[in-house]
Amino acid sequence: MSTENLPQSPEQPPRKPRVAVVFGGRSSEHGISVVTAGAVLAAIDRTKYDVLPIGITTDGRWALTADEPERMAITDRRTPSVEQLADSVEGAVVLSVDPANREVVYSEPGSVPKALGEVDVVFPVLHGPYGEDGTLQGLLELSGVPYVGSGVLASAVGQDKDYMKRVFTSFGLKVGPYVVIRPREWERDASAARKKIVDFAGEHGWPLFVKPARAGSSIGITKVDDLSGLDEAIAEARRHDPKFLVEAALTGREIECGVLEFEDGPRASVPAEIPPPSAHAYYDFEAKYIDSTPGLVPAPLTDEETAEVRRLAVEAFEAASCEGLVRADFFLTEDGEFVINEINTLPGFTPISMYPQMWQASGISYPELVDRLVQAALNRPTGLR
């Protein structure tokens, strides 16, 4: 029997890739992560992707949130939270750890769990521990879900300033003088650990910068001008991380450079310079996010300096086995040498953040940057690579 004249079933349009934007988290950078998520949600191409916003509360619950980027902005100098955006105070989102099943399920006490559909790629915009440090990346590897950004090892190295500096040194990149105090060292003999810092100051001079080893956004950092401020600075750093480090102050210009992975490998953006903020002792959290101290994009460097910092940024990206994106931060010292300060594997990503600004100046708009990162993640397998 011929089927030529029978009614034909309409072809189903192909399903758009579903992107889960995961944000918030348990670190002290929770609020900035929410702000970043708002920017990504506003920029992502809805004609090309389905989007599922998933917030992680400060106590670690995965929550379904409204897709309302306008509610994710800094208001009255306060950052937003997932708790303010969550659809329910008890409902939880669960991602399967079965690589054959990428379905996301939402459940509330006393209700039948509801399937939210499969996720094709995760765009994590978590900053700090429990998100940027390889923990979330490990979960996504177990789940077989592709994700934006670096893998487990590079994320962990990029989060821990101690091991980051060790990796850079082993690859021949120059870092500034520093000393690390580990948790057991402090707990075993705080006086001896403190003397180690004082001896370091005697060798390198004041001021010093006391930092949590595994935090970002300049949270928990204190500039210490003399011995009288040391104990308070240590307490502040340890409030965010029991492991902390002390760095000698470097005299020079702060230069940043973005790295983005293209089909033919990583490339560096035009660099930016962070001028000393007039209302702050250094480029701290409030200068970055509350007062939005503007950077100079592109940085006023010579052609030779620009080429050198771009080369070093890509070298740092490769040294730590990074993927997707990185912001590399340097000091240009008075003798013309670039010293690497750190990398961020999930850098600040609001439209006013330096990473998107540097790529904007390099010819890639914010929406295009988001799209490139999602496409790169979709094309990259999970697992060993």
Side-chain angles (χ1 to χ4, degrees):
M1 175 180 173
S2 171
T3 60
E4 186 177 335
N5 297 317
L6 293 178
Q8 301 295 309
S9 299
E11 286 190 12
Q12 293 295 320
R15 182 174 70 84
K16 291 185 287 188
R18 172 171 266 199
V19 181
V21 178
V22 180
F23 60 96
R26 294 163 57 188
S27 84
S28 52
E29 297 176 78
H30 177 101
I32 288 303
S33 174
V34 178
V35 175
T36 299
V40 171
L41 288 169
I44 198 164
D45 187 349
R46 304 309 177 96
T47 67
K48 195 171 180 177
Y49 306 105
D50 285 328
V51 179
L52 178 65
I54 299 174
I56 301 178
T57 63
T58 51
D59 61 2
R61 178 174 61 91
W62 289 45
L64 194 63
T65 68
D67 187 3
E68 299 176 357
E70 65 278 2
R71 293 175 59 196
M72 301 181 182
I74 294 173
T75 306
D76 297 328
R77 301 178 71 85
R78 292 175 176 267
T79 55
S81 70
V82 169
E83 283 80 355
Q84 296 167 349
L85 301 164
D87 287 354
S88 164
V89 295
E90 294 184 308
V93 173
V94 178
L95 178 68
S96 171
V97 292
D98 177 2
N101 176 18
R102 294 179 179 177
E103 193 160 83
V104 174
V105 175
Y106 177 73
S107 62
E108 288 189 84
S111 301
V112 176
K114 177 184 176 184
L116 300 178
E118 289 193 344
V119 166
D120 297 293
V121 63
V122 168
F123 197 134
V125 291
L126 295 142
H127 302 304
Y130 312 109
E132 188 181 351
D133 60 349
T135 50
L136 176 64
Q137 290 75 14
L139 172 63
L140 296 173
E141 291 286 352
L142 289 173
S143 303
V145 179
Y147 53 91
V148 169
S150 290
V152 175
L153 174 64
S155 297
V157 168
Q159 186 62 46
D160 191 314
K161 294 177 176 64
D162 174 15
Y163 286 97
M164 181 199 307
K165 290 175 186 292
R166 292 172 182 266
V167 167
F168 290 155
T169 301
S170 72
F171 277 82
L173 292 162
K174 186 173 179 58
V175 303
Y178 71 101
V179 63
V180 178
I181 305 296
R182 293 176 176 80
R184 282 195 292 271
E185 185 179 2
W186 182 262
E187 290 155 11
R188 186 171 55 243
D189 192 339
S191 296
R194 188 177 186 277
K195 182 179 183 304
K196 183 176 170 181
I197 298 169
V198 173
D199 290 345
F200 178 81
E203 181 180 357
H204 297 285
W206 302 91
L208 301 175
F209 287 89
V210 180
K211 300 181 175 182
R214 295 162 292 193
S217 297
S218 297
I219 289 173
I221 297 177
T222 306
K223 182 182 179 183
V224 183
D225 292 316
D226 53 46
L227 193 60
S228 65
L230 182 59
D231 290 340
E232 186 178 346
I234 291 172
E236 173 62 14
R238 283 179 50 79
R239 193 166 69 84
H240 299 277
D241 187 349
K243 178 181 179 180
F244 66 96
L245 70 161
V246 179
E247 295 177 346
L250 291 177
T251 302
R253 299 160 63 188
E254 290 192 48
I255 306 295
E256 299 185 347
C257 194
V259 181
L260 180 64
E261 194 168 9
F262 287 76
E263 293 79 4
D264 59 350
R267 301 181 201 169
S269 69
V270 300
E273 180 171 2
I274 308 300
S278 57
H280 301 266
Y282 62 98
Y283 193 47
D284 62 7
F285 178 86
E286 290 210 350
K288 285 180 180 177
Y289 295 108
I290 305 300
D291 296 328
S292 301
T293 300
L296 304 175
V297 188
L301 300 170
T302 66
D303 291 345
E304 292 77 14
E305 290 168 339
T306 296
E308 177 66 359
V309 75
R310 294 177 74 179
R311 182 187 70 80
L312 290 171
V314 171
E315 212 169 288
F317 183 96
E318 297 281 34
S321 299
C322 295
E323 295 169 291
L325 73 163
V326 149
R327 194 192 73 233
D329 301 346
F330 297 86
F331 291 105
L332 176 57
T333 64
E334 292 177 328
D335 60 3
E337 185 174 38
F338 283 103
V339 176
I340 189 162
N341 183 34
E342 64 180 32
I343 58 169
N344 280 265
T345 55
L346 283 172
F349 207 81
T350 68
I352 65 167
S353 298
M354 295 312 302
Y355 184 85
Q357 284 194 54
M358 288 186 286
W359 281 109
Q360 176 77 45
S362 303
I364 297 179
S365 69
Y366 189 90
E368 185 184 352
L369 190 57
V370 169
D371 186 66
R372 279 182 174 274
L373 290 168
V374 171
Q375 286 297 315
L378 285 168
N379 292 328
R380 186 172 61 236
T382 53
L384 298 177
R385 53 190 183 274

